Amino acid sequence: MIDVDIYRYNPETDREPHMQSFFVDDDFGKRMVLDVLEHLRESDPSLAYRRSCREGVCGSDGMNINGKNALACITPVTEAAGSGKLILRPLTGMAVIRDLVVDQNHFFEQYASIKPWLINDSGTVDKELHQSAADRAKLDGLYECIMCGCCTSGCPSWWWNPEKYLGPAVLLQAYRFIADSRDTASGERLGALSDHFSVYRCRDVGNCSWVCPKGLNPMGAISDIRRTLLKTSL
Ligand code: SF4
Ligand code: SF4
């Protein structure tokens, strides 16, 4: 049997959070963490977590799995737990609503603040906006972000300054538009990031890039923003 410890907290009935132990058959070792949760919820429908696509695309089931933020649907049980326990906690740095479900409102408000859409004021909005293959390649490693929040939740600088520092996911998304040759608002976008906190609270530790389940490099995107800010201020 595999021992599974899960963080439980129901604010309507619990005075404080606690870990609850479950057991699943050894066969679950070959399956994904989300399969374990789905199985356990058949016998305990009160167990709360988010999920949607179960293909690592929607970004809903980010959680802390044996100490590392990851997506439950694409994390094999044995890879996370080895021969020990599977330990599931909510994403760090975000308030818990219930069990493994965290409040991501602030995270998505910060996302909205960087205007995550293409801005083009060249008067050609009714035409196709062409882009060279080289310019299109600059978006690789950026457009794939699914906003799961695993990186931002694992960022110590964001824990300390969540109101002022935008965090790695939002900054990677900001750079995705700054780097887009079709976007005409990069000056405005960079101006909005040029204070002491929005970008510069990153301390280059790289926890964000270490945990990203899509293999992206938010720390690198933040460095690119800082480099671009430096160039534009010369
Ligand atoms: S950069 Fe990676 S970890 Fe961060 S939100 Fe995007 S996909 Fe998730
Ligand atoms: S490298 Fe920067 S953004 Fe990434 S976890 Fe560290 S402080 Fe946060």
Side-chain angles (χ1 to χ4, degrees):
M1 298 293 273
I2 299 171
D3 190 351
V4 186
D5 281 5
I6 303 181
Y7 179 103
R8 302 298 308 266
Y9 178 58
N10 179 345
E12 289 175 9
T13 55
D14 299 335
R15 284 174 66 100
E16 51 191 48
H18 60 281
M19 298 299 285
Q20 184 175 2
S21 285
F22 298 86
F23 291 92
V24 294
D25 201 81
D26 283 333
D27 285 350
F28 278 95
K30 299 176 210 137
R31 299 177 65 181
M32 300 297 165
V33 171
L34 182 60
D35 294 323
V36 171
L37 286 168
E38 298 280 82
H39 174 72
L40 293 175
R41 210 154 77 94
E42 283 170 16
S43 52
D44 182 354
S46 72
L47 179 59
Y49 53 90
R50 289 195 180 103
R51 59 143 296 184
S52 183
C53 75
R54 76 179 303 165
E55 300 292 338
V57 175
C58 72
S60 304
D61 63 353
M63 59 187 70
N64 188 281
I65 304 173
N66 286 65
K68 183 178 181 183
N69 292 345
L71 297 179
C73 60
I74 55 171
T75 302
V77 172
T78 43
E79 185 185 300
S83 53
K85 276 184 190 178
L86 183 64
I87 304 171
L88 306 180
R89 297 176 191 271
L91 285 177
T92 41
M94 298 181 187
V96 175
I97 296 173
R98 180 167 162 167
D99 297 341
L100 302 172
V101 177
V102 291
D103 183 348
Q104 295 192 310
N105 279 336
H106 179 60
F107 174 63
F108 281 105
E109 280 163 13
Q110 287 188 309
Y111 179 45
S113 78
I114 56 107
K115 300 185 180 171
W117 54 83
L118 197 77
I119 298 173
N120 184 290
D121 60 5
S122 63
T124 54
V125 283
D126 53 343
K127 296 194 189 122
E128 244 181 302
L129 293 171
H130 292 290
Q131 193 168 43
S132 70
D135 281 340
R136 165 60 189 81
K138 290 178 188 162
L139 306 183
D140 287 343
L142 302 172
Y143 78 88
E144 302 94 327
C145 173
I146 56 172
M147 288 302 288
C148 65
C150 287
C151 57
T152 296
S153 151
C155 170
S157 291
W158 192 75
W159 299 341
W160 286 108
N161 296 285
E163 300 302 326
K164 296 178 177 176
Y165 174 52
L166 291 173
V170 169
L171 289 171
L172 179 135
Q173 290 282 352
Y175 190 62
R176 179 253 170 272
F177 291 99
I178 290 167
D180 194 318
S181 61
R182 300 164 299 177
D183 193 278
T184 55
S186 59
E188 182 194 315
R189 294 181 188 281
L190 287 164
L193 298 176
S194 62
D195 59 274
H196 290 303
F197 276 87
S198 300
V199 178
Y200 289 104
R201 292 311 289 185
C202 171
R203 291 294 183 254
D204 293 320
V205 176
N207 203 37
C208 51
S209 303
W210 178 59
V211 300
C212 177
K214 304 300 281 185
L216 308 181
N217 181 9
M219 184 176 74
I222 294 168
S223 299
D224 287 336
I225 294 176
R226 289 191 296 220
R227 235 188 321 273
T228 314
L229 278 169
L230 193 64
K231 268 195 233 155
T232 53
S233 67
L234 292 176

